[in-house]
Amino acid sequence: MSFVEYSEFIQEGDVAIIFLGHDSMMPIKVQQGAQTQTRYGVIRHSKDLIGQRFGTKVTCSKGGWVYVLHPTPELWTLNLPHRTQILYTTDIANITMMLELKPGSVVCESGTGSGSLSHAILRTIAPTGHLHTVEFHQQRAEKAAEEFREHRVGHLVTVRNQDVCKEGFGVTGVADAVFLDIPSPWEAIQHAKSAMKKQGGRVCSFSPCIEQVQKTCEALAGQGFEEISTVEVLLRVHEVRSITLPLPDFGPDKPLETPTDTRIPSNASVLCKTTTPPREMAGHTGYLTFATKPRIHCLFYLQFVYFGLIMWI
Amino acid sequence: MFEFDHPTVLFYNSLSRRLDATTWNEPIRVDYGERLIHLLSTICPERILNAKETQASTWVYVVGDISYFSILLFLLGILNECYSGSYKSSLLFSWLSSQKIRRETVLMADNEDDDSQQRVNEGDYVVLKRGDIYKAVQIQKKKKTVFEKQWFFLDNAVGELYGTTFEVVSGGTLQPRKPKHVEHAADAKEAGTDNRHILDDGKSQKLTRDDIETLKEQGLKGQEIVQQLIENSTTFRDKTEFAQEKYIKKKKKKYENSVMVLRPSCRILAMMYHGREPGKICHLRYDTLAQMLTLGNIHAGSKVLVFETCAGLVLGAVMERMGGYGSVVQMYPGGGPVRAGVESFGFPPHFNETLHEFPIQHVNALLAGTLDTDAKDIDESPDAEDQNMETNSSENSAAEKEAQEREKRREIRCVVLQGQEKKVRMEEKRKKLAAAAVLLQGRNADGLVIASRFHPCPVLLGLIKFLAPSRPFVVYSQYKEPLIECYTKLREQGGAVSLRLTDSWIRHYQVLPNRTHPVLLMSGGGGYLLSGTTVTTDTPKVNTEPTSVEEPAAKRVKLEEETE
């Protein structure tokens, strides 16, 4: 198991997702001899999980059964331990496409938070890309780094514990894309720019408040970014339902001629398959601001190179 | 951030797709970041030179100490000989992880200074951009390109850098625009406070249509025409500052004839198709495509099935996300696979090695195990023309058949060469089909993406059988009702969990100081998605309890699931 590569069978040390029923899941770490309590009873890792195929039904001690699923970044997003507010799959999907991420992309991200987006980025840029992720909270940075190792994506990521607004991403001129999810993204735009390749690249900032967006856009325009565009994306879930609609009884059409037994009975109804929206849905997550960094002009870049050389000597 | 006395270092060159190993004789401290470039160039100059020559990015992994060097070298010899690029790195990675070697990616020595990869070449597939309008074209010399009611030749784009903006000058030639900053109209001009004195009488612009045409003929550039328009507008000064800005923007859009040449990407092509020809891609909106790629967990190294009638956009998007690693099987309806859109992505040639195709009319045979890839009837499928011929002959009587055969033979004699070519092609097709069949036979695909004008229900139920358990699938339809049917059938049949029917809503914003609000128009819908994860359908293996104990419990669980 790895978050960037499927495997067929469950092994010791894997993360597996226990699917208990619609929208009810839990992540577990598979360990020889360990047990997991579910509402259907106990799952014994050695006997019920290790060596089994991902996607199989596992019978718990009380006789109920669950499915064991292979972890994916999307399942992880739904199951991860929240250390911060996290990004969800709808936003992640758009961020991934609009940042033009693909295998081999080098990405800078801040903050790491609970690692929801990080896992999705790593999945997309593997096996030849790299993620530089910056988190100013020491404990969160350490926890994230530990998680990446456990999920066998550690070789694709560098976690740095620093303040991106003050110290930047710790790399220069390497990134194809930069993602910012911090309280004051406008303070990090300069660092984002210097972290990016001289050929240019894409940047995205996620902010819940429009005032943040306003300041970020000004900073982006000020730093020479192009194609600045802000969008908001929401997911609408349609719950499939079989519903029964009763038919009204208007009485006999021609009272004298129609025999009573051909009339629509008063309890007649129609069954139909339809969808309903959930009673409540996420109506706002955040605004996504995207921009393109144009390529630095050659002469301008040479200055940088010379400056760098002088520094070396 | 670790130390080895004599580290073994693994290089991976992304262009030549060669893996290489070396060991450093001097003890070094390996650090992240740019410092390693320096290290490499001092300790290992010939390797760096190598990377430069091939103009590719080189990955460097510090694998461990010197004891790994010989074994790694031996392994690489085998890998480089026997496997193509896509397998190589993944095989090596799995070996490394099986050895529990501490390995860390240290850096990517990207040849930053080398722009040759960044320049437009003849034959490249590029995207033209003006404002929000995109068009995908191939760079061909002396070929007239029509874009936004304007024609020009792309000859001058060859050799220029991607992302360059060109000015269209007389005769349809392109001239790279100097990257100078246009002095903005911010030089404190007069502006009105509101629009109470502005009348819509059609007399405010003193220049007539003909005047503007003459200006154009005189060879005035867009910027200059806009300036003329402003100077000849009686009301411009009375407009508010905001309105002036808007006026300039509007006129600029109309008279400016610049065009940007971009490298194609999934983002750009999805937006282009959605804006230009939504009918061709079943009205699949870009954010919906983004959801599909993410929900389908499309990533390098997996085996993904794609069924689409979206001009190849979805297939191309999937291939981009796989980056040439793993395999994609295009399940196609009818005569042959449609993938005009894939060309527009301009993938490097090795991507084609990962792309396979399989006609859906053979799916049942494959599932039943009766598909014989050596059989003659296989030859017919991939080409529409061939198919017609074959079906005709099978329907006709023996006599007609013979006559046709004679006719055919005569034709063949006339064009022997062509016939041979065709035979070779057929043989190739058969091989391809056999290869795709092998990929499918294991029924262990890692992902399924469907986006078509067909009824999604039979497509999904037919193709989901090729997926391994615990793998995601995603189905797009422009309409909701067919997906409701899919959902219901799948629920009855079992074999899938986390079924979800969704659509997404996207709104663009105008962000300006004190004038931030949603853009007035928004897309009304981007189609619907059904996504889920496969699971095994067989009953769980009973360990100790007799089945009689288990069954009622299972029912109870089922009930609970349904009520939720």
Side-chain angles (χ1 to χ4, degrees):
Chain A
M1 182 284 320
S2 148
F3 272 67
V4 295
E5 205 173 350
Y6 282 119
S7 16
E8 204 177 339
F9 298 102
I10 304 165
Q11 288 174 330
E12 156 112 52
D14 280 1
V15 172
I17 308 290
I18 302 294
F19 184 88
L20 298 153
H22 191 60
D23 276 351
S24 172
M25 283 180 266
M26 57 193 275
I28 58 162
K29 209 179 149 191
V30 180
Q31 278 165 322
Q32 199 83 40
Q35 292 191 347
T36 302
Q37 273 295 342
T38 72
R39 68 173 112 117
Y40 304 122
V42 171
I43 300 171
R44 292 176 201 86
H45 292 202
S46 320
K47 199 182 75 183
D48 299 334
L49 299 179
I50 295 173
Q52 295 287 328
R53 212 171 172 195
F54 278 108
T56 45
K57 231 182 229 180
V58 170
T59 310
C60 305
S61 63
K62 285 188 199 162
W65 42 259
V66 297
Y67 286 109
V68 197
L69 302 181
H70 194 290
T72 65
E74 287 60 54
L75 288 174
W76 185 246
T77 292
L78 295 172
N79 289 291
L80 57 84
H82 283 222
R83 298 184 284 270
T84 55
Q85 184 67 262
I86 64 159
L87 276 159
Y88 288 95
T89 299
T90 315
D91 286 318
I92 290 173
N94 281 282
I95 291 164
T96 310
M97 180 191 258
M98 293 297 167
L99 286 183
E100 303 188 336
L101 303 189
K102 55 189 176 199
S105 298
V106 177
V107 186
C108 289
E109 179 205 29
S110 185
T112 316
S114 308
S116 171
L117 176 69
S118 317
H119 279 85
I121 293 176
L122 289 167
R123 175 262 319 272
T124 306
I125 63 171
T128 49
H130 199 81
L131 173 67
H132 297 273
T133 185
V134 173
E135 168 64 52
F136 66 4
H137 190 285
Q138 193 193 342
Q139 212 182 350
R140 283 205 291 262
E142 281 164 8
K143 189 80 192 130
E146 186 191 320
E147 250 175 33
F148 294 137
R149 276 195 298 276
E150 261 176 31
H151 297 166
R152 288 160 207 164
V153 289
H155 59 293
L156 295 167
V157 57
T158 309
V159 184
R160 288 186 178 83
N161 175 216
Q162 58 194 49
D163 184 353
V164 71
C165 296
K166 293 199 177 77
E167 294 149 277
F169 290 96
V171 287
T172 341
V174 298
D176 296 291
V178 174
F179 176 78
L180 296 170
D181 179 6
I182 49 173
S184 50
W186 55 92
E187 289 175 15
I189 299 296
Q190 175 111 51
H191 296 298
K193 195 180 174 184
S194 70
M196 288 163 97
K197 283 184 181 158
K198 66 145 187 170
Q199 293 97 317
R202 297 275 295 166
V203 64
C204 174
S205 167
F206 174 93
S207 300
C209 304
I210 201 75
E211 289 81 5
Q212 294 171 300
V213 173
Q214 187 89 59
K215 284 188 182 172
T216 308
C217 284
E218 272 174 49
L220 283 167
Q223 291 285 334
F225 281 84
E226 292 170 358
E227 285 187 288
I228 302 168
S229 112
T230 301
V231 296
E232 191 184 10
V233 197
L234 295 177
L235 188 74
R236 287 193 293 208
V237 178
H238 305 265
E239 285 166 6
V240 179
R241 291 266 185 282
S242 278
I243 55 156
T244 318
L245 299 172
L247 294 171
D249 179 12
F250 288 112
D253 199 11
K254 287 172 190 166
L256 291 175
E257 286 166 33
T258 321
T260 45
D261 56 340
T262 58
R263 271 180 48 201
I264 299 168
S266 57
N267 59 352
S269 61
V270 171
L271 183 82
C272 63
K273 275 270 173 196
T274 184
T275 64
T276 57
R279 204 172 62 83
E280 265 186 323
M281 62 176 262
H284 180 66
T285 53
Y287 301 103
L288 293 170
T289 301
F290 297 99
T292 305
K293 181 197 159 187
R295 120 188 320 274
I296 299 178
H297 211 247
C298 289
L299 285 173
F300 193 55
Y301 184 70
L302 275 179
Q303 284 176 359
F304 268 127
V305 174
Y306 286 133
F307 186 67
L309 276 176
I310 290 161
M311 291 299 280
W312 265 117
I313 298 160
Chain B
M1 310 244 190
F2 48 92
E3 282 174 49
F4 288 117
D5 283 349
H6 300 285
T8 295
V9 179
L10 175 72
F11 294 84
Y12 177 67
N13 186 304
S14 73
L15 198 78
S16 67
R17 314 204 125 225
R18 258 198 96 76
L19 287 156
D20 237 330
T22 186
T23 176
W24 281 322
N25 294 321
E26 290 164 51
I28 58 155
R29 182 181 148 72
V30 178
D31 210 328
Y32 294 103
E34 294 92 295
R35 283 182 55 194
L36 208 87
I37 301 177
H38 183 67
L39 260 174
L40 283 171
S41 50
T42 50
I43 303 170
C44 229
E46 76 279 8
R47 305 274 168 187
I48 277 294
L49 197 74
N50 232 344
K52 271 244 164 78
E53 271 167 10
T54 50
Q55 295 154 3
S57 58
T58 303
W59 274 95
V60 183
Y61 292 89
V62 174
V63 175
D65 66 9
I66 196 164
S67 60
Y68 283 107
F69 180 61
S70 53
I71 187 165
L72 199 65
L73 212 61
F74 172 71
L75 209 77
L76 289 181
I78 301 171
L79 284 175
N80 279 328
E81 279 307 304
C82 306
Y83 295 100
S84 65
S86 49
Y87 284 124
K88 226 157 38 189
S89 49
S90 60
L91 269 173
L92 193 82
F93 291 152
S94 52
W95 177 75
L96 285 172
S97 51
S98 72
Q99 292 295 301
K100 299 235 175 354
I101 292 175
R102 179 152 176 216
R103 87 195 128 108
E104 296 216 25
T105 315
V106 179
L107 93 163
M108 192 182 77
D110 192 9
N111 294 16
E112 289 280 333
D113 314 353
D114 195 3
D115 270 335
S116 64
Q117 293 278 82
Q118 304 294 322
R119 290 190 190 275
V120 181
N121 289 312
E122 195 178 346
D124 276 8
Y125 288 90
V126 302
V127 179
L128 307 178
K129 177 179 189 274
R130 177 184 296 166
D132 296 332
I133 316 284
Y134 297 97
K135 187 180 185 176
V137 292
Q138 190 181 15
I139 301 273
Q140 284 169 307
K141 288 213 167 165
K142 296 190 180 105
K143 186 158 183 278
K144 213 180 232 183
T145 309
V146 180
F147 180 53
E148 284 287 278
K149 294 174 195 156
Q150 204 174 28
W151 59 266
F152 46 81
F153 298 96
L154 288 165
D155 299 38
N156 286 354
V158 175
E160 295 293 335
L161 293 164
Y162 275 102
T164 308
T165 305
F166 296 89
E167 205 80 49
V168 182
V169 295
S170 57
T173 46
L174 294 184
Q175 217 172 58
R177 189 200 271 172
K178 302 280 175 297
K180 58 161 188 200
H181 270 281
V182 189
E183 69 280 10
H184 245 298
D187 34 322
K189 273 188 191 146
E190 297 172 67
T193 45
D194 53 39
N195 61 10
R196 75 180 75 188
H197 301 302
I198 293 173
L199 297 172
D200 183 18
D201 55 4
K203 288 179 196 160
S204 54
Q205 183 52 256
K206 283 184 274 175
L207 289 182
T208 63
R209 185 83 234 148
D210 294 339
D211 292 337
I212 297 169
E213 283 305 316
T214 9
L215 285 178
K216 270 192 192 169
E217 277 162 32
Q218 283 168 10
L220 252 68
K221 286 199 178 134
Q223 184 75 28
E224 293 157 344
I225 293 176
V226 175
Q227 199 53 42
Q228 289 285 323
L229 284 170
I230 293 170
E231 278 164 22
N232 287 288
S233 165
T234 51
T235 49
F236 187 79
R237 280 173 206 198
D238 299 330
K239 285 176 192 281
T240 63
E241 214 176 299
F242 297 156
Q244 285 181 351
E245 203 176 293
K246 220 167 162 181
Y247 180 87
I248 293 172
K249 207 175 154 196
K250 209 167 96 187
K251 294 296 173 196
K252 239 188 186 169
K253 206 174 163 190
K254 193 166 172 188
Y255 294 103
E256 237 189 0
N257 41 14
S258 61
V259 58
M260 203 176 196
V261 177
L262 295 172
R263 192 187 283 284
S265 73
C266 171
R267 166 184 75 100
I268 291 171
L269 292 175
M271 290 175 83
M272 178 194 85
Y273 270 108
H274 185 256
R276 292 177 79 87
E277 305 164 301
K280 269 197 182 169
I281 53 163
C282 306
H283 297 262
L284 171 69
R285 211 209 281 139
Y286 40 90
D287 58 315
T288 312
L289 177 61
Q291 302 292 325
M292 291 175 74
L293 297 170
T294 299
L295 291 173
N297 192 18
I298 307 301
H299 63 273
S302 49
K303 186 201 289 184
V304 180
L305 309 190
V306 179
F307 181 85
E308 66 129 294
T309 58
C310 296
L313 173 69
V314 177
L315 181 65
V318 168
M319 285 171 71
E320 188 187 280
R321 285 287 176 91
M322 313 250 313
Y325 302 93
S327 43
V328 185
V329 187
Q330 183 184 14
M331 310 296 287
Y332 64 89
V338 179
R339 42 174 89 142
V342 178
E343 282 198 343
S344 308
F345 279 84
F347 292 131
H350 70 85
F351 272 52
N352 286 326
E353 291 164 27
T354 63
L355 177 59
H356 303 267
E357 57 209 40
F358 191 84
I360 51 163
Q361 69 248 43
H362 292 312
V363 163
N364 281 335
L366 183 68
L367 285 169
T370 55
L371 182 75
D372 183 3
T373 43
D374 296 328
K376 194 176 170 282
D377 65 310
I378 300 304
D379 304 11
E380 57 180 273
S381 48
D383 206 81
E385 183 192 71
D386 296 351
Q387 194 185 26
N388 284 341
M389 240 194 269
E390 293 281 333
T391 38
N392 279 346
S393 62
S394 62
E395 276 164 14
N396 292 340
S397 70
E400 273 177 296
K401 214 174 183 175
E402 211 173 298
Q404 240 177 14
E405 213 97 354
R406 239 177 287 138
E407 184 73 40
K408 247 190 204 168
R409 251 174 265 146
R410 205 175 307 143
E411 270 176 24
I412 287 168
R413 241 171 279 138
C414 293
V415 277
V416 182
L417 268 176
Q418 251 181 22
Q420 269 171 349
E421 242 170 61
K422 201 171 174 183
K423 223 176 186 177
V424 171
R425 237 183 12 190
M426 298 271 242
E427 190 56 37
E428 260 172 33
K429 266 172 198 162
R430 204 162 58 198
K431 271 188 193 155
K432 267 171 133 181
L433 183 81
V438 168
L439 280 174
L440 294 171
Q441 256 154 6
R443 299 202 188 184
N444 59 355
D446 296 319
L448 171 62
V449 176
I450 298 170
S452 76
R453 55 187 160 77
F454 287 81
H455 196 302
C457 203
V459 180
L460 176 63
L461 297 184
L463 298 184
I464 204 171
K465 295 168 186 154
F466 293 110
L467 283 185
S470 193
R471 297 292 185 271
F473 59 87
V474 55
V475 191
Y476 167 82
S477 174
Q478 196 187 337
Y479 314 102
K480 188 164 71 172
E481 286 69 20
L483 290 181
I484 297 179
E485 201 182 319
C486 261
Y487 181 101
T488 315
K489 285 251 172 71
L490 217 50
R491 255 301 167 85
E492 284 166 9
Q493 183 184 303
V497 293
S498 310
L499 287 180
R500 222 153 61 132
L501 178 53
T502 58
D503 79 311
S504 67
W505 175 99
I506 187 165
R507 187 143 91 165
H508 291 258
Y509 281 77
Q510 165 187 305
V511 182
L512 287 170
N514 297 316
R515 284 157 292 158
T516 297
H517 60 71
V519 172
L520 300 187
L521 281 177
M522 68 181 276
S523 159
Y528 298 87
L529 289 180
L530 177 68
S531 59
T533 306
T534 56
V535 287
T536 49
T537 39
D538 46 273
T539 45
K541 278 170 216 132
V542 188
N543 298 320
T544 43
E545 300 95 337
T547 31
S548 55
V549 180
E550 190 183 43
E551 265 167 6
K555 259 182 205 159
R556 199 184 66 220
V557 176
K558 248 188 193 160
L559 263 177
E560 263 185 59
E561 227 184 283
E562 262 163 34
T563 48
E564 267 167 62

